Every structure is written in structure tokens, then in C-alpha cells.
Amino acid sequence: MSRDVCAALARFGCFQVAYDGVPDRLREDMFAAMERVFDLPDETKRRNTSDKPYFGHNGRNEMVPMYESLGAEDASEIDKAKAFTQLLWPEGNDKFCETLNCMSKKLIELNQMIIKMIFHGFGVDRPDALISDNSVLRVMKYDAPTGDTAVVLPPHTDKDSLTILCQQEGVQGLEVLVDGHEWIPLAPIPGCFVVLAAEVLKAWSNGRIPAVKHRVVLSPGKERYSFGLFMLPKWDVVVKVVEELVDEAHPPRYKAFDYMDYLRYVEAHVLKMVGSNKDTVDVYAGV
Ligand SMILES: O=C(O)CCC(=O)C(=O)O
Ligand SMILES: [Fe+2]
């Protein structure tokens, strides 16, 4: 199993996983709740701010006019889930709070399981420094294109360690880039989650696992909802290449870096990186 996970990630930077730790009911509750979130007035949704780049409300701007998202940091902690809920529903919404909290916990469990598998596959018995509880649960909505098929979320690599996405059943949209030139649609599979390798994992794995480039494309008349758990490294541990993956044939490809400094760099250079075939982590920390 560990080997299959490693092989899929090394080759494609992604895979889909069937995971019954998240009951269908919880998934349905989440999508139902999300529709109500996006129906809230703009000024309410824009209360979702953060001092960390890309952690809060995003979208409906020049770069991504048809995309809108909100981020709940560490919603696996009940107090944080409550605070996020209260921003949106000051009068409270216990059901939403519980759904968000429960989903975050389940997806963090899945995430940690996959990180352990990856590094076991690489012969690392105790990847403790990489197992973190820090996350952002992001809920996303894409407007239906009116004319032609449209790229509603431009190609990018994620800046966390590992992303777990949940697509709506029957709504196609996510595509991943394979071999640098072929866009492959990842059709939603009932009961499955999409796992995407991101830039921090690329650094940890000394480049053995690529950060997969992906985008969202929609056909006319179809709107789309999705949500994802973005796993972040521990705040008090620098991001660095795992020692076991360094030897004479594989010198370290990345300098150690602080995750928040890297995120600030990402924010400052985001426009410059559009269309680049280099990942930000390589520009920022590549040796
Ligand atoms: O909505 C999706 O399926 C993808 C979202 C995504 O790539 C992101 O938020 O980084
Ligand atoms: Fe992404």
C-alpha cells in the first residue's frame, strides 16, 4: 500500500482514495451547508479574514472572477470551528459548526495516514516532524460559465503539504497536468477523495514527489461546489528535506525554510509566477 501511494505520487503527484472514515451523510451535510454559506451577503463572507496570506475569503477578483472561497483555519478545534461559524451566523449555527469540525478532524486523520504511508514507503519509520494538526478547510464555489467552456481556476500548484479535495458527485471540473503537457480530468468518484501533492511535500521528499499542477474547467450552465483540507506543516519546525532521502546520488535540492516566510514570498511573487513552469518552492528554496 505504502509503495502504491509513493509510486502514484512520484508519477502523477495525485491519486483518488476511497475513504469510508467520512460517512456519506457528513459529505452531504457539508455540501448542503456550503450552499447556505455562499448565499450569505458578500459583506458577511468578507468577514472571513486572516493575517496569514490565503487563509481567508478569496476570489471574485480580477484573477479569479468566477471563483469564491472561504477558509476555516484549524476547524478541527471546536473553539475555532465556533469562531468561524459565528463570523457567518452571529446568532449561531450548531449544525454547521459540528459538520465543519467533524469533517476537518476526519480529513486530518486521512491526511496524516497518507503522510505516514508516503514516508514509510521511503523507509522513514517515524516521520513525526511532518505529522501536523495545522490545517485550513476551504469551501469553494465556481460560477457557471455563460458562453464557452471556461477555466474558472487557473493552473497552479498548492502551497501546503498535501491537499485532500472533495468534489460534488456528477460535477466534473478538476483537471491535473500529466507529463507537463496533458490535462487529465479527475472525474468525481462516489465515496472518494482526490489527494494532491503540494509544494511542501516536494521539498520534504527532496523533489521525489512533484507538486501536481491542476486547474478547474467548467462547461456552460454548470456551477460547482467543492471543499478541501489543506494540510500545513508544524509552525515551530522548519521545512527541510527528510534526511533519509539524501545521499551521494541525491544531494539536498532545498534549503531549510520557515513556512510563513515562504507563504509571504508566494504572496509577493504570485503574479510573477503565473505561467511559469517553475514551482515557487524551487525558486524560493531550491539549491
Ligand atoms: O475545486 C477544486 O476541485 C480545486 C480547488 C483548488 O485547486 C484549490 O483551492 O487550490
Ligand atoms: Fe489547488
Side-chain angles (χ1 to χ4, degrees):
M1 185 76 169
S2 275
R3 278 225 198 109
D4 292 343
V5 166
C6 274
L9 288 178
R11 171 74 180 84
F12 301 108
C14 65
F15 61 90
Q16 301 220 47
V17 59
Y19 184 55
D20 58 12
V22 175
D24 289 346
R25 185 59 202 271
L26 181 57
R27 218 185 253 255
E28 287 155 17
D29 286 349
M30 189 72 197
F31 280 113
M34 283 164 58
E35 291 193 26
R36 264 170 269 132
V37 168
F38 288 105
D39 283 344
L40 290 168
D42 284 349
E43 62 271 23
T44 306
K45 288 180 277 189
R46 286 177 193 278
R47 286 185 205 140
N48 174 217
T49 57
S50 171
D51 51 1
K52 303 189 183 93
Y54 306 113
F55 276 47
H57 179 275
N58 193 2
R60 296 235 181 274
N61 55 35
E62 259 172 40
M63 264 178 99
V64 275
M66 298 168 76
Y67 160 92
E68 184 174 25
S69 74
L70 286 86
E73 186 181 357
D74 294 336
S76 53
E77 294 170 25
I78 189 67
D79 291 349
K80 302 252 178 85
K82 269 189 192 145
F84 180 78
T85 304
Q86 234 150 39
L87 280 178
L88 303 178
W89 287 283
E91 68 284 12
N93 183 340
D94 290 348
K95 171 80 180 151
F96 175 75
C97 182
E98 195 196 316
T99 303
L100 188 74
N101 178 242
C102 210
M103 184 60 85
S104 296
K105 286 199 270 201
K106 296 282 183 198
L107 292 184
I108 288 177
E109 271 171 36
L110 175 59
N111 214 307
Q112 293 180 342
M113 220 151 71
I114 296 170
I115 293 285
K116 283 180 193 155
M117 276 187 195
I118 295 169
F119 286 92
H120 286 170
F122 284 139
V124 182
D125 288 336
R126 302 205 46 171
D128 296 0
L130 316 183
I131 306 298
S132 133
D133 294 319
N134 303 332
S135 72
V136 175
L137 187 80
R138 185 162 285 286
V139 294
M140 302 171 267
K141 182 185 179 186
Y142 304 85
D143 294 339
T146 45
D148 297 327
T149 295
V151 178
V152 288
L153 188 65
H156 65 280
T157 50
D158 287 351
K159 311 303 185 224
D160 55 334
S161 57
L162 195 77
T163 305
I164 298 184
L165 288 173
C166 184
Q167 309 194 76
Q168 248 176 322
E169 242 177 89
V171 188
Q172 191 100 10
L174 181 65
E175 297 184 350
V176 295
L177 189 64
V178 171
D179 296 334
H181 61 90
E182 201 178 349
W183 286 104
I184 307 282
L186 287 189
I189 305 172
C192 288
F193 292 88
V194 174
V195 178
L196 301 176
E199 294 201 357
V200 168
L201 180 58
K202 186 179 188 188
W204 281 343
S205 68
N206 206 17
R208 291 196 206 184
I209 297 181
V212 63
K213 201 164 255 191
H214 53 285
R215 66 181 187 181
V216 176
V217 178
L218 285 188
S219 324
K222 280 208 173 167
E223 63 177 14
R224 177 175 182 270
Y225 292 86
S226 66
F227 62 87
L229 194 281
F230 296 76
M231 207 67 215
L232 314 170
K234 292 181 176 181
W235 294 117
D236 54 351
V237 177
V238 289
V239 177
K240 60 175 194 218
V241 174
V242 169
E243 273 168 29
E244 286 87 339
L245 297 181
V246 176
D247 56 33
E248 259 173 47
H250 304 93
R253 284 178 50 184
Y254 299 92
K255 293 175 274 197
F257 61 90
D258 173 80
Y259 183 64
M260 191 44 72
D261 290 345
Y262 156 78
L263 271 191
R264 297 221 168 88
Y265 181 92
V266 168
E267 185 183 36
H269 295 80
V270 64
L271 282 179
K272 222 168 70 186
M273 294 302 295
V274 170
S276 162
N277 56 10
K278 275 202 160 184
D279 292 334
T280 312
V281 73
D282 288 271
V283 178
Y284 179 68
V287 175

